[in-house]
Amino acid sequence: MGEHRAGYISILGKPNAGKSTLLNALIGENLSIVTPKVQTTRHRILGIRNEDDYQMVFSDTPGILQPAYLLQESMMKAVYSSLEDADVLILLTSIEEDPWDEEPFLEILKNSDIPKAVAINKIDLSDESAVNLKMDYWKSVLNPGLIIPVSAIKGFNLDSILGFVHEHLPIHPPYYEKDELSDRHIRFFMSEIIRESILRFCQKEIPYSVEVLVISYNEEKDMDKVYAEIIVERESQKVILIGKGGEMIKRIGTESRIKMEEFLQKKVFVDIRVKVIEGWRSKQTYLKRFGYE
Ligand SMILES: Nc1nc2c(ncn2[C@@H]2O[C@H](COP(=O)(O)OP(=O)(O)OP(=O)(O)O)[C@@H](O)[C@H]2O)c(=O)[nH]1
Ligand SMILES: [Mg+2]
């Protein structure tokens, strides 16, 4: 066996490009939540792929956007911080996206010396000529080390991404224990599972107005107990989240419990309360308390 390689790889791209789907596929575990809605991911989330001779530490990041409120500013900080310590960048772009011409982020990428791959995702929705046009476009605007059409959802061409990453992975001892999958704790994943259910079941501004906090997590012999709070910005949102006769909150609770049981391979009890904190996502103190930078 040769020397051990290890490094950080950032997955960057616009909202809904499929970054979290790609992260999950690359590490073979559903760590990062995936939904059809934009702005699903809010934090930088590490997912670690371990083999005997290497450790790839992938960062899933929030989608690149122009921040309109403080929470989105924090989301963009997570994107930029993941650029700073990366050994390799994977820019993920959906075949359905508009060209990036006016995007200031493109300039940052152009000026960065970090090895880059552009992966054109969702090619299962497209055809060869559209894919070729996109590949030409990315060659002309960024000229990265690799341009590869992929389908994160179907696992198509992901080996090429792994090959490129491996080629550029520094010789380095592992950064994390070799049996670790992420830097996040169980509480974080439990709160994300609840947020995923909210994103799936609630419409309009609700998904973007909630924060989920796991208040207490008790591991018992036959069952884990999760006590959570959903924070909303206004009383009217609380009414919607609870639903008629508590229908919505029950649905969210049931769906979350099933996903948690799948994740933990154990029986789970879930208790969810809804609480209003007026305008929390524009207030520094709450963002800080909720773990945003
Ligand atoms: N058809 C198709 N859909 C995909 C593919 N990859 C991801 N998707 C879908 O695209 C949607 C967004 O996927 P995510 O992985 O949440 O995208 P994201 O880039 O992490 O989004 P944000 O966290 O909001 O920035 C989901 O409905 C996925 O199922 C793909 O290869 N093909
Ligand atoms: Mg995501």
Side-chain angles (χ1 to χ4, degrees), residues 13-22 32-42 60-64 92 121-125 150-154 200:
K14 295 270 179 81
N16 209 245
K19 300 177 295 299
S20 301
T21 308
L22 178 66
S32 196
I33 61 170
V34 169
T35 82
K37 293 203 173 73
V38 295
Q39 296 178 49
T40 294
T41 306
R42 287 184 180 170
D60 185 16
T61 62
I64 298 158
L92 189 69
N121 193 28
K122 308 195 187 183
I123 60 157
D124 54 290
L125 301 177
V150 303
S151 171
I153 220 167
K154 305 226 187 266
R200 287 192 184 277

PDB file of all heavy atoms in Angstrom, residues 13-22 32-42 60-64 92 121-125 150-154 200, ligand 1:
ATOM      1  N   GLY A  13     -22.585  25.075  -6.077  1.00  0.00           N
ATOM      2  CA  GLY A  13     -23.488  25.259  -7.214  1.00  0.00           C
ATOM      3  C   GLY A  13     -24.717  26.040  -6.835  1.00  0.00           C
ATOM      4  O   GLY A  13     -24.899  26.410  -5.672  1.00  0.00           O
ATOM      5  N   LYS A  14     -25.575  26.282  -7.805  1.00  0.00           N
ATOM      6  CA  LYS A  14     -26.817  27.016  -7.587  1.00  0.00           C
ATOM      7  C   LYS A  14     -27.809  26.165  -6.773  1.00  0.00           C
ATOM      8  O   LYS A  14     -27.673  24.945  -6.726  1.00  0.00           O
ATOM      9  CB  LYS A  14     -27.460  27.349  -8.953  1.00  0.00           C
ATOM     10  CG  LYS A  14     -26.644  28.312  -9.814  1.00  0.00           C
ATOM     11  CD  LYS A  14     -27.044  29.742  -9.520  1.00  0.00           C
ATOM     12  CE  LYS A  14     -26.229  30.725 -10.336  1.00  0.00           C
ATOM     13  NZ  LYS A  14     -26.712  30.896 -11.699  1.00  0.00           N
ATOM     14  N   PRO A  15     -28.808  26.814  -6.183  1.00  0.00           N
ATOM     15  CA  PRO A  15     -29.851  26.054  -5.481  1.00  0.00           C
ATOM     16  C   PRO A  15     -30.479  25.011  -6.413  1.00  0.00           C
ATOM     17  O   PRO A  15     -30.669  25.284  -7.600  1.00  0.00           O
ATOM     18  CB  PRO A  15     -30.885  27.132  -5.120  1.00  0.00           C
ATOM     19  CG  PRO A  15     -30.128  28.419  -5.086  1.00  0.00           C
ATOM     20  CD  PRO A  15     -29.042  28.274  -6.119  1.00  0.00           C
ATOM     21  N   ASN A  16     -30.746  23.847  -5.883  1.00  0.00           N
ATOM     22  CA  ASN A  16     -31.461  22.793  -6.620  1.00  0.00           C
ATOM     23  C   ASN A  16     -30.628  22.072  -7.688  1.00  0.00           C
ATOM     24  O   ASN A  16     -31.161  21.254  -8.448  1.00  0.00           O
ATOM     25  CB  ASN A  16     -32.745  23.380  -7.264  1.00  0.00           C
ATOM     26  CG  ASN A  16     -33.831  22.330  -7.413  1.00  0.00           C
ATOM     27  OD1 ASN A  16     -34.213  21.973  -8.519  1.00  0.00           O
ATOM     28  ND2 ASN A  16     -34.299  21.786  -6.309  1.00  0.00           N
ATOM     29  N   ALA A  17     -29.330  22.351  -7.764  1.00  0.00           N
ATOM     30  CA  ALA A  17     -28.497  21.689  -8.784  1.00  0.00           C
ATOM     31  C   ALA A  17     -28.370  20.184  -8.539  1.00  0.00           C
ATOM     32  O   ALA A  17     -28.121  19.413  -9.464  1.00  0.00           O
ATOM     33  CB  ALA A  17     -27.108  22.323  -8.810  1.00  0.00           C
ATOM     34  N   GLY A  18     -28.532  19.789  -7.259  1.00  0.00           N
ATOM     35  CA  GLY A  18     -28.388  18.374  -6.913  1.00  0.00           C
ATOM     36  C   GLY A  18     -27.157  18.107  -6.048  1.00  0.00           C
ATOM     37  O   GLY A  18     -26.682  16.968  -5.958  1.00  0.00           O
ATOM     38  N   LYS A  19     -26.652  19.150  -5.385  1.00  0.00           N
ATOM     39  CA  LYS A  19     -25.427  19.023  -4.579  1.00  0.00           C
ATOM     40  C   LYS A  19     -25.574  18.005  -3.445  1.00  0.00           C
ATOM     41  O   LYS A  19     -24.693  17.169  -3.227  1.00  0.00           O
ATOM     42  CB  LYS A  19     -25.046  20.396  -3.984  1.00  0.00           C
ATOM     43  CG  LYS A  19     -24.776  21.462  -5.044  1.00  0.00           C
ATOM     44  CD  LYS A  19     -24.486  22.811  -4.425  1.00  0.00           C
ATOM     45  CE  LYS A  19     -25.668  23.407  -3.671  1.00  0.00           C
ATOM     46  NZ  LYS A  19     -26.864  23.645  -4.502  1.00  0.00           N
ATOM     47  N   SER A  20     -26.692  18.078  -2.742  1.00  0.00           N
ATOM     48  CA  SER A  20     -26.883  17.157  -1.616  1.00  0.00           C
ATOM     49  C   SER A  20     -27.086  15.725  -2.119  1.00  0.00           C
ATOM     50  O   SER A  20     -26.609  14.770  -1.500  1.00  0.00           O
ATOM     51  CB  SER A  20     -28.072  17.606  -0.763  1.00  0.00           C
ATOM     52  OG  SER A  20     -27.853  18.911  -0.274  1.00  0.00           O
ATOM     53  N   THR A  21     -27.785  15.595  -3.235  1.00  0.00           N
ATOM     54  CA  THR A  21     -27.957  14.268  -3.847  1.00  0.00           C
ATOM     55  C   THR A  21     -26.592  13.684  -4.203  1.00  0.00           C
ATOM     56  O   THR A  21     -26.326  12.497  -3.968  1.00  0.00           O
ATOM     57  CB  THR A  21     -28.821  14.376  -5.130  1.00  0.00           C
ATOM     58  OG1 THR A  21     -30.032  15.068  -4.813  1.00  0.00           O
ATOM     59  CG2 THR A  21     -29.137  13.014  -5.707  1.00  0.00           C
ATOM     60  N   LEU A  22     -25.722  14.549  -4.758  1.00  0.00           N
ATOM     61  CA  LEU A  22     -24.378  14.091  -5.139  1.00  0.00           C
ATOM     62  C   LEU A  22     -23.580  13.692  -3.903  1.00  0.00           C
ATOM     63  O   LEU A  22     -22.927  12.634  -3.884  1.00  0.00           O
ATOM     64  CB  LEU A  22     -23.642  15.188  -5.915  1.00  0.00           C
ATOM     65  CG  LEU A  22     -22.206  14.834  -6.328  1.00  0.00           C
ATOM     66  CD1 LEU A  22     -22.201  13.688  -7.335  1.00  0.00           C
ATOM     67  CD2 LEU A  22     -21.478  16.048  -6.906  1.00  0.00           C
ATOM     68  N   SER A  32     -27.420  14.234   3.852  1.00  0.00           N
ATOM     69  CA  SER A  32     -27.849  15.604   3.617  1.00  0.00           C
ATOM     70  C   SER A  32     -29.239  15.570   3.006  1.00  0.00           C
ATOM     71  O   SER A  32     -29.499  14.789   2.098  1.00  0.00           O
ATOM     72  CB  SER A  32     -26.860  16.271   2.667  1.00  0.00           C
ATOM     73  OG  SER A  32     -27.009  17.662   2.701  1.00  0.00           O
ATOM     74  N   ILE A  33     -30.146  16.403   3.531  1.00  0.00           N
ATOM     75  CA  ILE A  33     -31.520  16.294   3.063  1.00  0.00           C
ATOM     76  C   ILE A  33     -31.659  16.811   1.633  1.00  0.00           C
ATOM     77  O   ILE A  33     -30.971  17.741   1.212  1.00  0.00           O
ATOM     78  CB  ILE A  33     -32.530  16.987   4.010  1.00  0.00           C
ATOM     79  CG1 ILE A  33     -32.266  18.479   4.155  1.00  0.00           C
ATOM     80  CG2 ILE A  33     -32.523  16.295   5.369  1.00  0.00           C
ATOM     81  CD1 ILE A  33     -33.396  19.218   4.897  1.00  0.00           C
ATOM     82  N   VAL A  34     -32.577  16.163   0.896  1.00  0.00           N
ATOM     83  CA  VAL A  34     -32.816  16.457  -0.516  1.00  0.00           C
ATOM     84  C   VAL A  34     -34.295  16.717  -0.690  1.00  0.00           C
ATOM     85  O   VAL A  34     -35.119  15.923  -0.237  1.00  0.00           O
ATOM     86  CB  VAL A  34     -32.423  15.244  -1.390  1.00  0.00           C
ATOM     87  CG1 VAL A  34     -32.913  15.412  -2.814  1.00  0.00           C
ATOM     88  CG2 VAL A  34     -30.911  15.013  -1.369  1.00  0.00           C
ATOM     89  N   THR A  35     -34.666  17.840  -1.295  1.00  0.00           N
ATOM     90  CA  THR A  35     -36.073  18.060  -1.631  1.00  0.00           C
ATOM     91  C   THR A  35     -36.146  18.769  -2.977  1.00  0.00           C
ATOM     92  O   THR A  35     -35.146  19.315  -3.443  1.00  0.00           O
ATOM     93  CB  THR A  35     -36.815  18.938  -0.592  1.00  0.00           C
ATOM     94  OG1 THR A  35     -36.530  20.315  -0.864  1.00  0.00           O
ATOM     95  CG2 THR A  35     -36.439  18.593   0.836  1.00  0.00           C
ATOM     96  N   PRO A  36     -37.333  18.761  -3.602  1.00  0.00           N
ATOM     97  CA  PRO A  36     -37.475  19.458  -4.883  1.00  0.00           C
ATOM     98  C   PRO A  36     -37.398  20.977  -4.738  1.00  0.00           C
ATOM     99  O   PRO A  36     -37.319  21.683  -5.732  1.00  0.00           O
ATOM    100  CB  PRO A  36     -38.879  19.053  -5.359  1.00  0.00           C
ATOM    101  CG  PRO A  36     -39.279  17.894  -4.522  1.00  0.00           C
ATOM    102  CD  PRO A  36     -38.549  18.048  -3.224  1.00  0.00           C
ATOM    103  N   LYS A  37     -37.447  21.504  -3.534  1.00  0.00           N
ATOM    104  CA  LYS A  37     -37.456  22.962  -3.358  1.00  0.00           C
ATOM    105  C   LYS A  37     -36.036  23.536  -3.324  1.00  0.00           C
ATOM    106  O   LYS A  37     -35.102  22.882  -2.880  1.00  0.00           O
ATOM    107  CB  LYS A  37     -38.175  23.333  -2.066  1.00  0.00           C
ATOM    108  CG  LYS A  37     -39.668  23.005  -2.108  1.00  0.00           C
ATOM    109  CD  LYS A  37     -40.441  23.846  -1.109  1.00  0.00           C
ATOM    110  CE  LYS A  37     -41.932  23.659  -1.260  1.00  0.00           C
ATOM    111  NZ  LYS A  37     -42.409  22.349  -0.757  1.00  0.00           N
ATOM    112  N   VAL A  38     -35.910  24.794  -3.781  1.00  0.00           N
ATOM    113  CA  VAL A  38     -34.608  25.471  -3.698  1.00  0.00           C
ATOM    114  C   VAL A  38     -34.309  25.829  -2.244  1.00  0.00           C
ATOM    115  O   VAL A  38     -35.209  25.886  -1.407  1.00  0.00           O
ATOM    116  CB  VAL A  38     -34.572  26.764  -4.550  1.00  0.00           C
ATOM    117  CG1 VAL A  38     -34.714  26.442  -6.020  1.00  0.00           C
ATOM    118  CG2 VAL A  38     -35.646  27.749  -4.112  1.00  0.00           C
ATOM    119  N   GLN A  39     -33.037  26.062  -1.959  1.00  0.00           N
ATOM    120  CA  GLN A  39     -32.583  26.458  -0.617  1.00  0.00           C
ATOM    121  C   GLN A  39     -32.918  25.425   0.447  1.00  0.00           C
ATOM    122  O   GLN A  39     -33.350  25.755   1.538  1.00  0.00           O
ATOM    123  CB  GLN A  39     -33.175  27.805  -0.211  1.00  0.00           C
ATOM    124  CG  GLN A  39     -32.717  28.946  -1.090  1.00  0.00           C
ATOM    125  CD  GLN A  39     -33.363  30.250  -0.670  1.00  0.00           C
ATOM    126  OE1 GLN A  39     -33.361  30.597   0.501  1.00  0.00           O
ATOM    127  NE2 GLN A  39     -33.928  30.954  -1.637  1.00  0.00           N
ATOM    128  N   THR A  40     -32.737  24.176   0.095  1.00  0.00           N
ATOM    129  CA  THR A  40     -32.948  23.113   1.072  1.00  0.00           C
ATOM    130  C   THR A  40     -31.798  23.099   2.088  1.00  0.00           C
ATOM    131  O   THR A  40     -32.030  23.046   3.289  1.00  0.00           O
ATOM    132  CB  THR A  40     -33.052  21.757   0.344  1.00  0.00           C
ATOM    133  OG1 THR A  40     -34.239  21.776  -0.454  1.00  0.00           O
ATOM    134  CG2 THR A  40     -33.115  20.605   1.334  1.00  0.00           C
ATOM    135  N   THR A  41     -30.584  23.160   1.594  1.00  0.00           N
ATOM    136  CA  THR A  41     -29.416  23.097   2.476  1.00  0.00           C
ATOM    137  C   THR A  41     -29.086  24.490   3.019  1.00  0.00           C
ATOM    138  O   THR A  41     -29.029  25.445   2.262  1.00  0.00           O
ATOM    139  CB  THR A  41     -28.199  22.538   1.711  1.00  0.00           C
ATOM    140  OG1 THR A  41     -28.573  21.287   1.136  1.00  0.00           O
ATOM    141  CG2 THR A  41     -27.000  22.336   2.632  1.00  0.00           C
ATOM    142  N   ARG A  42     -28.850  24.574   4.338  1.00  0.00           N
ATOM    143  CA  ARG A  42     -28.555  25.874   4.946  1.00  0.00           C
ATOM    144  C   ARG A  42     -27.168  25.956   5.555  1.00  0.00           C
ATOM    145  O   ARG A  42     -26.690  27.029   5.854  1.00  0.00           O
ATOM    146  CB  ARG A  42     -29.561  26.162   6.054  1.00  0.00           C
ATOM    147  CG  ARG A  42     -30.938  26.503   5.552  1.00  0.00           C
ATOM    148  CD  ARG A  42     -31.799  26.847   6.738  1.00  0.00           C
ATOM    149  NE  ARG A  42     -33.148  27.180   6.349  1.00  0.00           N
ATOM    150  CZ  ARG A  42     -34.122  27.325   7.239  1.00  0.00           C
ATOM    151  NH1 ARG A  42     -33.875  27.140   8.519  1.00  0.00           N
ATOM    152  NH2 ARG A  42     -35.333  27.646   6.836  1.00  0.00           N
ATOM    153  N   ASP A  60     -20.936  19.514   1.510  1.00  0.00           N
ATOM    154  CA  ASP A  60     -22.156  19.962   0.836  1.00  0.00           C
ATOM    155  C   ASP A  60     -22.382  21.390   1.295  1.00  0.00           C
ATOM    156  O   ASP A  60     -22.111  21.732   2.447  1.00  0.00           O
ATOM    157  CB  ASP A  60     -23.335  19.079   1.263  1.00  0.00           C
ATOM    158  CG  ASP A  60     -24.616  19.432   0.504  1.00  0.00           C
ATOM    159  OD1 ASP A  60     -24.536  20.124  -0.527  1.00  0.00           O
ATOM    160  OD2 ASP A  60     -25.700  18.987   0.944  1.00  0.00           O
ATOM    161  N   THR A  61     -22.838  22.241   0.399  1.00  0.00           N
ATOM    162  CA  THR A  61     -22.994  23.659   0.744  1.00  0.00           C
ATOM    163  C   THR A  61     -24.365  24.162   0.303  1.00  0.00           C
ATOM    164  O   THR A  61     -25.017  23.552  -0.552  1.00  0.00           O
ATOM    165  CB  THR A  61     -21.910  24.510   0.039  1.00  0.00           C
ATOM    166  OG1 THR A  61     -22.078  24.392  -1.378  1.00  0.00           O
ATOM    167  CG2 THR A  61     -20.517  24.066   0.425  1.00  0.00           C
ATOM    168  N   PRO A  62     -24.816  25.275   0.885  1.00  0.00           N
ATOM    169  CA  PRO A  62     -26.062  25.879   0.415  1.00  0.00           C
ATOM    170  C   PRO A  62     -25.894  26.378  -1.027  1.00  0.00           C
ATOM    171  O   PRO A  62     -24.783  26.682  -1.450  1.00  0.00           O
ATOM    172  CB  PRO A  62     -26.259  27.070   1.365  1.00  0.00           C
ATOM    173  CG  PRO A  62     -25.442  26.753   2.576  1.00  0.00           C
ATOM    174  CD  PRO A  62     -24.268  25.980   2.059  1.00  0.00           C
ATOM    175  N   GLY A  63     -26.976  26.464  -1.761  1.00  0.00           N
ATOM    176  CA  GLY A  63     -26.926  26.951  -3.140  1.00  0.00           C
ATOM    177  C   GLY A  63     -26.540  28.427  -3.190  1.00  0.00           C
ATOM    178  O   GLY A  63     -26.934  29.213  -2.338  1.00  0.00           O
ATOM    179  N   ILE A  64     -25.767  28.775  -4.229  1.00  0.00           N
ATOM    180  CA  ILE A  64     -25.280  30.152  -4.363  1.00  0.00           C
ATOM    181  C   ILE A  64     -26.433  31.077  -4.750  1.00  0.00           C
ATOM    182  O   ILE A  64     -27.140  30.819  -5.717  1.00  0.00           O
ATOM    183  CB  ILE A  64     -24.189  30.212  -5.452  1.00  0.00           C
ATOM    184  CG1 ILE A  64     -23.008  29.340  -5.042  1.00  0.00           C
ATOM    185  CG2 ILE A  64     -23.758  31.638  -5.715  1.00  0.00           C
ATOM    186  CD1 ILE A  64     -22.160  28.909  -6.208  1.00  0.00           C
ATOM    187  N   LEU A  92     -21.142  21.945  -9.359  1.00  0.00           N
ATOM    188  CA  LEU A  92     -22.236  21.137  -9.884  1.00  0.00           C
ATOM    189  C   LEU A  92     -23.278  22.067 -10.503  1.00  0.00           C
ATOM    190  O   LEU A  92     -23.769  22.988  -9.852  1.00  0.00           O
ATOM    191  CB  LEU A  92     -22.879  20.303  -8.770  1.00  0.00           C
ATOM    192  CG  LEU A  92     -23.883  19.261  -9.274  1.00  0.00           C
ATOM    193  CD1 LEU A  92     -23.166  18.154 -10.047  1.00  0.00           C
ATOM    194  CD2 LEU A  92     -24.685  18.657  -8.124  1.00  0.00           C
ATOM    195  N   ASN A 121     -25.121  18.101 -14.139  1.00  0.00           N
ATOM    196  CA  ASN A 121     -26.015  17.116 -13.518  1.00  0.00           C
ATOM    197  C   ASN A 121     -27.377  17.036 -14.224  1.00  0.00           C
ATOM    198  O   ASN A 121     -27.731  17.895 -15.021  1.00  0.00           O
ATOM    199  CB  ASN A 121     -26.212  17.496 -12.038  1.00  0.00           C
ATOM    200  CG  ASN A 121     -26.859  16.379 -11.245  1.00  0.00           C
ATOM    201  OD1 ASN A 121     -26.717  15.199 -11.584  1.00  0.00           O
ATOM    202  ND2 ASN A 121     -27.582  16.723 -10.198  1.00  0.00           N
ATOM    203  N   LYS A 122     -28.104  16.011 -13.869  1.00  0.00           N
ATOM    204  CA  LYS A 122     -29.477  15.746 -14.354  1.00  0.00           C
ATOM    205  C   LYS A 122     -29.510  15.469 -15.853  1.00  0.00           C
ATOM    206  O   LYS A 122     -30.483  15.810 -16.529  1.00  0.00           O
ATOM    207  CB  LYS A 122     -30.422  16.912 -14.007  1.00  0.00           C
ATOM    208  CG  LYS A 122     -30.386  17.314 -12.520  1.00  0.00           C
ATOM    209  CD  LYS A 122     -31.549  18.196 -12.119  1.00  0.00           C
ATOM    210  CE  LYS A 122     -31.373  18.704 -10.695  1.00  0.00           C
ATOM    211  NZ  LYS A 122     -32.483  19.520 -10.196  1.00  0.00           N
ATOM    212  N   ILE A 123     -28.442  14.848 -16.362  1.00  0.00           N
ATOM    213  CA  ILE A 123     -28.437  14.588 -17.806  1.00  0.00           C
ATOM    214  C   ILE A 123     -29.456  13.507 -18.178  1.00  0.00           C
ATOM    215  O   ILE A 123     -29.775  13.348 -19.344  1.00  0.00           O
ATOM    216  CB  ILE A 123     -27.037  14.222 -18.338  1.00  0.00           C
ATOM    217  CG1 ILE A 123     -26.525  12.959 -17.651  1.00  0.00           C
ATOM    218  CG2 ILE A 123     -26.049  15.356 -18.177  1.00  0.00           C
ATOM    219  CD1 ILE A 123     -25.470  12.265 -18.478  1.00  0.00           C
ATOM    220  N   ASP A 124     -29.992  12.829 -17.156  1.00  0.00           N
ATOM    221  CA  ASP A 124     -31.101  11.896 -17.435  1.00  0.00           C
ATOM    222  C   ASP A 124     -32.329  12.631 -17.958  1.00  0.00           C
ATOM    223  O   ASP A 124     -33.238  12.018 -18.525  1.00  0.00           O
ATOM    224  CB  ASP A 124     -31.439  11.105 -16.162  1.00  0.00           C
ATOM    225  CG  ASP A 124     -31.712  12.002 -14.973  1.00  0.00           C
ATOM    226  OD1 ASP A 124     -30.760  12.637 -14.457  1.00  0.00           O
ATOM    227  OD2 ASP A 124     -32.864  12.103 -14.544  1.00  0.00           O
ATOM    228  N   LEU A 125     -32.375  13.963 -17.774  1.00  0.00           N
ATOM    229  CA  LEU A 125     -33.517  14.746 -18.256  1.00  0.00           C
ATOM    230  C   LEU A 125     -33.232  15.354 -19.630  1.00  0.00           C
ATOM    231  O   LEU A 125     -34.056  16.105 -20.155  1.00  0.00           O
ATOM    232  CB  LEU A 125     -33.820  15.900 -17.283  1.00  0.00           C
ATOM    233  CG  LEU A 125     -34.163  15.544 -15.843  1.00  0.00           C
ATOM    234  CD1 LEU A 125     -34.347  16.821 -15.025  1.00  0.00           C
ATOM    235  CD2 LEU A 125     -35.432  14.694 -15.805  1.00  0.00           C
ATOM    236  N   VAL A 150     -23.119  14.121 -15.621  1.00  0.00           N
ATOM    237  CA  VAL A 150     -23.454  13.116 -14.613  1.00  0.00           C
ATOM    238  C   VAL A 150     -24.953  13.073 -14.350  1.00  0.00           C
ATOM    239  O   VAL A 150     -25.704  13.954 -14.758  1.00  0.00           O
ATOM    240  CB  VAL A 150     -22.739  13.385 -13.252  1.00  0.00           C
ATOM    241  CG1 VAL A 150     -21.236  13.453 -13.413  1.00  0.00           C
ATOM    242  CG2 VAL A 150     -23.261  14.653 -12.589  1.00  0.00           C
ATOM    243  N   SER A 151     -25.365  12.026 -13.673  1.00  0.00           N
ATOM    244  CA  SER A 151     -26.683  12.002 -13.065  1.00  0.00           C
ATOM    245  C   SER A 151     -26.481  11.537 -11.621  1.00  0.00           C
ATOM    246  O   SER A 151     -26.193  10.365 -11.384  1.00  0.00           O
ATOM    247  CB  SER A 151     -27.627  11.053 -13.811  1.00  0.00           C
ATOM    248  OG  SER A 151     -28.818  10.913 -13.065  1.00  0.00           O
ATOM    249  N   ALA A 152     -26.608  12.490 -10.709  1.00  0.00           N
ATOM    250  CA  ALA A 152     -26.377  12.161  -9.295  1.00  0.00           C
ATOM    251  C   ALA A 152     -27.405  11.154  -8.815  1.00  0.00           C
ATOM    252  O   ALA A 152     -27.116  10.240  -8.049  1.00  0.00           O
ATOM    253  CB  ALA A 152     -26.425  13.427  -8.447  1.00  0.00           C
ATOM    254  N   ILE A 153     -28.627  11.310  -9.301  1.00  0.00           N
ATOM    255  CA  ILE A 153     -29.723  10.471  -8.845  1.00  0.00           C
ATOM    256  C   ILE A 153     -29.572   9.038  -9.357  1.00  0.00           C
ATOM    257  O   ILE A 153     -29.935   8.080  -8.681  1.00  0.00           O
ATOM    258  CB  ILE A 153     -31.075  11.105  -9.253  1.00  0.00           C
ATOM    259  CG1 ILE A 153     -32.084  10.958  -8.144  1.00  0.00           C
ATOM    260  CG2 ILE A 153     -31.602  10.565 -10.546  1.00  0.00           C
ATOM    261  CD1 ILE A 153     -33.330  11.817  -8.346  1.00  0.00           C
ATOM    262  N   LYS A 154     -29.013   8.869 -10.559  1.00  0.00           N
ATOM    263  CA  LYS A 154     -28.850   7.533 -11.125  1.00  0.00           C
ATOM    264  C   LYS A 154     -27.441   6.982 -10.894  1.00  0.00           C
ATOM    265  O   LYS A 154     -27.122   5.869 -11.312  1.00  0.00           O
ATOM    266  CB  LYS A 154     -29.133   7.558 -12.628  1.00  0.00           C
ATOM    267  CG  LYS A 154     -30.486   8.133 -12.989  1.00  0.00           C
ATOM    268  CD  LYS A 154     -31.190   7.256 -14.007  1.00  0.00           C
ATOM    269  CE  LYS A 154     -32.475   7.888 -14.508  1.00  0.00           C
ATOM    270  NZ  LYS A 154     -33.682   7.532 -13.853  1.00  0.00           N
ATOM    271  N   ARG A 200     -41.270  19.279   2.461  1.00  0.00           N
ATOM    272  CA  ARG A 200     -42.087  18.462   1.562  1.00  0.00           C
ATOM    273  C   ARG A 200     -43.578  18.764   1.672  1.00  0.00           C
ATOM    274  O   ARG A 200     -44.300  18.752   0.684  1.00  0.00           O
ATOM    275  CB  ARG A 200     -41.844  16.969   1.823  1.00  0.00           C
ATOM    276  CG  ARG A 200     -40.489  16.536   1.314  1.00  0.00           C
ATOM    277  CD  ARG A 200     -40.322  15.030   1.288  1.00  0.00           C
ATOM    278  NE  ARG A 200     -38.959  14.704   0.874  1.00  0.00           N
ATOM    279  CZ  ARG A 200     -38.568  14.653  -0.399  1.00  0.00           C
ATOM    280  NH1 ARG A 200     -39.435  14.857  -1.369  1.00  0.00           N
ATOM    281  NH2 ARG A 200     -37.308  14.388  -0.691  1.00  0.00           N
TER     282      ARG A 200
HETATM  283  N1  LIG B   1     -33.689  14.102 -12.733  1.00  0.00           N
HETATM  284  C1  LIG B   1     -32.734  14.299 -11.819  1.00  0.00           C
HETATM  285  N2  LIG B   1     -33.046  14.931 -10.669  1.00  0.00           N
HETATM  286  C2  LIG B   1     -32.058  15.119  -9.766  1.00  0.00           C
HETATM  287  C3  LIG B   1     -30.729  14.670  -9.982  1.00  0.00           C
HETATM  288  N3  LIG B   1     -29.991  15.004  -8.911  1.00  0.00           N
HETATM  289  C4  LIG B   1     -30.832  15.634  -8.055  1.00  0.00           C
HETATM  290  N4  LIG B   1     -32.080  15.706  -8.557  1.00  0.00           N
HETATM  291  C5  LIG B   1     -33.288  16.295  -7.924  1.00  0.00           C
HETATM  292  O1  LIG B   1     -33.122  17.703  -7.841  1.00  0.00           O
HETATM  293  C6  LIG B   1     -33.768  18.215  -6.663  1.00  0.00           C
HETATM  294  C7  LIG B   1     -32.784  19.006  -5.829  1.00  0.00           C
HETATM  295  O2  LIG B   1     -31.795  18.142  -5.317  1.00  0.00           O
HETATM  296  P1  LIG B   1     -30.874  18.546  -4.092  1.00  0.00           P
HETATM  297  O3  LIG B   1     -29.829  17.497  -3.963  1.00  0.00           O
HETATM  298  O4  LIG B   1     -31.697  18.865  -2.894  1.00  0.00           O
HETATM  299  O5  LIG B   1     -30.231  19.897  -4.662  1.00  0.00           O
HETATM  300  P2  LIG B   1     -29.254  20.912  -3.921  1.00  0.00           P
HETATM  301  O6  LIG B   1     -28.313  21.419  -4.960  1.00  0.00           O
HETATM  302  O7  LIG B   1     -28.648  20.282  -2.722  1.00  0.00           O
HETATM  303  O8  LIG B   1     -30.268  22.061  -3.501  1.00  0.00           O
HETATM  304  P3  LIG B   1     -30.090  23.190  -2.336  1.00  0.00           P
HETATM  305  O9  LIG B   1     -29.718  22.502  -1.072  1.00  0.00           O
HETATM  306  O10 LIG B   1     -31.446  23.814  -2.271  1.00  0.00           O
HETATM  307  O11 LIG B   1     -29.050  24.151  -2.841  1.00  0.00           O
HETATM  308  C8  LIG B   1     -34.333  17.005  -5.932  1.00  0.00           C
HETATM  309  O12 LIG B   1     -35.692  16.865  -6.271  1.00  0.00           O
HETATM  310  C9  LIG B   1     -33.494  15.856  -6.497  1.00  0.00           C
HETATM  311  O13 LIG B   1     -34.169  14.607  -6.449  1.00  0.00           O
HETATM  312  C10 LIG B   1     -30.434  13.976 -11.220  1.00  0.00           C
HETATM  313  O14 LIG B   1     -29.337  13.524 -11.502  1.00  0.00           O
HETATM  314  N5  LIG B   1     -31.490  13.835 -12.091  1.00  0.00           N
END
